[in-house]
Amino acid sequence: MKFTTKWLKSYRFLACTLVTLLFIAHTAHWLYIPTLQRMENILYDLRLRTTVVNTVDPRIVIIDIDEESLAKEGRWPWRRDKLAYLVDMLFDYYNIKLLGFDVVFSEPDTSGGVELLEKLASGPLQKDADFLLALETVRPQLSYDDMFAKSLETRPVVLGYFTSHITEKTPEIGILPRPLAAADGLPFSSLLFKGKSYAANLAKLQTAAMSGGFFNNPNVDEDGVYRRLPLLMNYNNRLYEALSLALFRTLLGMPEIKFVTGEHYGKNNYDSRLEALEIENFHIPVDESGALLVPYRGRQGSFTYISATDVLNGVADVEKLKDKIVIVGTSAAGLLDLRVTPVQNIYAGVEVHANILSGLLDQAIKSRPNYILAAELAELLLICLAAIFVFPRLPALLSAVVFGILLVSGIAFNFYCWAIWNIDTLLATPITLLIALYGIQLFFGFFFESRKKKQMGNMFGQYIPPELVEQMSQSDEEFSLKGESREMTVLFSDVRGFTTISEGMEPQELCELINGILTPVTSVIHESKGTIDKYIGDAIMAFWGAPMHNPQHAAYAVKAGLTILQTLTSIQQEFKAKGWPEIDIGIGLNTGKMSVGNMGSQFRMAYTVMGDAVNLGSRLEGLTKQYGVKMIVSESTLQAAPEFVYRELDKVRVKGKNKPITIYEPLGAMEDVSSEQMRILDLLNQGLHGYRQQQWASAQIIFEQLAKQHPDDRLYSIYLKRIAYYLESPPGTDWDGAFTHTSK
């Protein structure tokens, strides 16, 4: 078919225009493109991580209800008299400046027994004068809520509470603090988050405290990441402030807030949108929903953490708390206040509020002013004009140079706005549009270049199954035999005791036996989208993640290993029918960075993988004999394929490695593992915990119980022997719980 220049120009112009309109619609919020938003989130996180200060703010201290505190002081919630004592210690002994609670006290503390005593006083003992006199005497000592409220009075304390966007069965628990303002007459209030129910603090506690603020985040992004948090909430036409803002205002002496809107940008729908908050000399940029971009200082630990139990027992360093802003929160996993943030996947929620408060004090808040939308739309139009009128007029090489200059310039200017002006502008959208439009130019300029896909697929035909070759030929991914580094998963499979087996068989029969093993195992690997690297006698080496990128390479590899073990049963039955020796297989899996490509010499080349991660996979296969299991994977494989259930085997140092790793045995998919197996796993984990804490007696009891229930499982006898040895020769306080293997 012959394409004229006029035809190509018309369709190129149409394609560029349609794609640009699509991106403009997304930017203007007329159309939502999930992929673009995910890319924006990723690049936002990248910019944030590369520009965080990574220093500890000495002004703010977090009193942490951590695992140690729960172990020493008892499970949460604690009695209110203990919390009253905590408040008294912080203000009277440690002389802190300001206290906030990232927890809510919505239910009365009845552990003192006052209600029971009062019931007796109004019932069977109402005429017992001695009892009534004693009740009046002990009442103040047993009314723990009153004690806690008294400790809050006349002190700069801010209590936290949470709201919900749905109407709960009990929509209002406790009382809210004083509102900031009435929402009536504020045109931007309709765009704020609207709470429909709340769980706040007891009236006596909130009344005693100086202020209060909500600590939940209704603006969590669709990927579950805390990137922004609202400072304002609209509840029943009244505005309430977030915990961090309440702390900030309390620190400044409770000044009034001035609401700044976008009336300076023309008479349009922007003039009713919130732009910023002004508190005395502080300017706080927010978006139209009243949310600000959380100014993370770095990973968790950007503030001093002090265990709550250390404060209660008076052993914390006074200098670390004197004249500090203190926020009480929790990092204990069981209390469910861990968040996903751009700087860390597991992040204490209390530190999010600490970051906001720190950013407010430093005036280091990124912003997206309302006028930035017009600038972003203009940028997209300029990119479209360049693609239509500039790229087609340039030679291919010069066009690529101009494309590179535009790309780098766009990224550099974006980072300049971010780092110097503290403005967050779209980055993924203009970059993606530029790439897309440049790709359209290449498509029309090299229309018949698509034949190379099939050629590249043929390059790998000798290494991978035909189905994968076909998939490669239809893919837009670029493939090459050149060496590169990738995150991949490698599998090693070996027949145990093969040397002994081979000594008693004729060569032809031995060849048939080998084929009877390798053929079904290879089929399983091919069906699981794996690539056979090589056969080494009776052993197989395979990998996942190349030549095609496969983000689920670890899951496919684990599934392949489990399927091989299932296939082993039918192989053994066939061999038994032929009178051949019974065979067994050991499998090792590891995930990590590997070098993959065509390697060898000028005489012979092979598409293979190399690297420390590959060597570790081989070591793990060798360890299967040591632990009496058929399959071992590394902790990196477990993390990359969490959809399976694993049994932790040991923490080991393999030959040639100084850093210990944890090894596991896959048991199957979540739905295939029985409740009895899960019970055994829980018991084993308790035993391993005791073993690594050098609690030999308790660990020994657990492993003896497991060994009695499962006498054929070698793992339990291994630990019993180790415990017996360590009882005679303790490993010392610096022991890390790892066992060193000196053989491959």
Side-chain angles (χ1 to χ4, degrees), residues 493-677:
S493 173
D494 193 18
V495 177
R496 294 176 180 170
F498 183 76
T499 303
T500 305
I501 294 173
S502 62
E503 290 175 352
M505 300 185 71
E506 293 296 325
Q508 182 177 353
E509 192 176 35
L510 180 62
C511 183
E512 294 179 10
L513 182 141
I514 286 291
N515 293 339
I517 298 172
L518 299 184
T519 299
V521 171
T522 300
S523 298
V524 171
I525 293 172
H526 280 180
E527 291 169 1
S528 300
K529 300 184 179 180
T531 300
I532 298 294
D533 187 298
K534 60 178 67 73
Y535 300 104
I536 314 169
D538 58 300
I540 295 180
M541 176 181 171
F543 55 83
W544 283 258
M548 285 196 70
H549 284 282
N550 184 353
Q552 295 180 304
H553 51 83
Y556 277 105
V558 174
K559 183 178 180 181
L562 293 170
T563 306
I564 289 172
L565 296 180
Q566 294 174 356
T567 306
L568 179 63
T569 303
S570 60
I571 295 174
Q572 289 173 337
Q573 292 175 353
E574 293 177 11
F575 284 14
K576 184 177 181 181
K578 295 180 179 181
W580 289 350
E582 183 176 340
I583 58 104
D584 205 357
I585 290 178
I587 298 174
L589 281 174
N590 184 43
T591 301
K593 286 286 185 182
M594 304 174 192
S595 297
V596 60
N598 227 18
M599 303 177 193
S601 67
Q602 61 178 333
F603 304 103
R604 183 174 181 181
M605 302 290 287
Y607 188 74
T608 185
V609 290
M610 299 178 65
D612 288 341
V614 178
N615 298 335
L616 180 56
S618 177
R619 298 285 191 272
L620 296 181
E621 186 279 319
L623 290 181
T624 57
K625 292 176 283 190
Q626 304 286 337
Y627 292 88
V629 298
K630 299 182 186 298
M631 185 174 172
I632 291 180
V633 305
S634 65
E635 54 191 311
S636 58
T637 301
L638 176 145
Q639 293 167 1
E643 57 265 48
F644 297 92
V645 176
Y646 301 85
R647 178 173 75 151
E648 184 176 346
L649 298 176
D650 205 356
K651 188 178 181 182
V652 302
R653 290 185 182 87
V654 299
K655 184 175 178 62
K657 293 283 186 180
N658 292 324
K659 185 178 179 181
I661 64 166
T662 307
I663 59 175
Y664 301 83
E665 177 191 12
L667 300 182
M670 291 284 187
E671 62 272 12
D672 297 332
V673 178
S674 66
S675 57
E676 175 62 17
Q677 287 176 296

Side-chain angles (χ1 to χ4, degrees), residues 99-105 148 152 157-161 177 201-202 204-215 242-243 246-247:
L99 177 62
F101 281 92
D102 186 30
V103 290
V104 63
F105 308 104
F148 187 31
L152 303 179
V157 178
V158 180
L159 296 183
Y161 63 93
N201 297 281
L202 297 174
K204 63 178 66 176
L205 300 180
Q206 186 59 68
T207 303
M210 186 168 292
S211 183
F214 61 90
F215 52 69
L243 175 63
L247 285 167

Side-chain angles (χ1 to χ4, degrees), residues 224-242:
V225 179
Y226 270 51
R227 296 185 180 89
R228 53 184 58 82
L229 188 142
L231 293 183
L232 301 174
M233 173 200 66
N234 185 345
Y235 185 81
N236 283 346
N237 281 325
R238 292 180 176 86
L239 300 189
Y240 294 89
E241 59 190 328

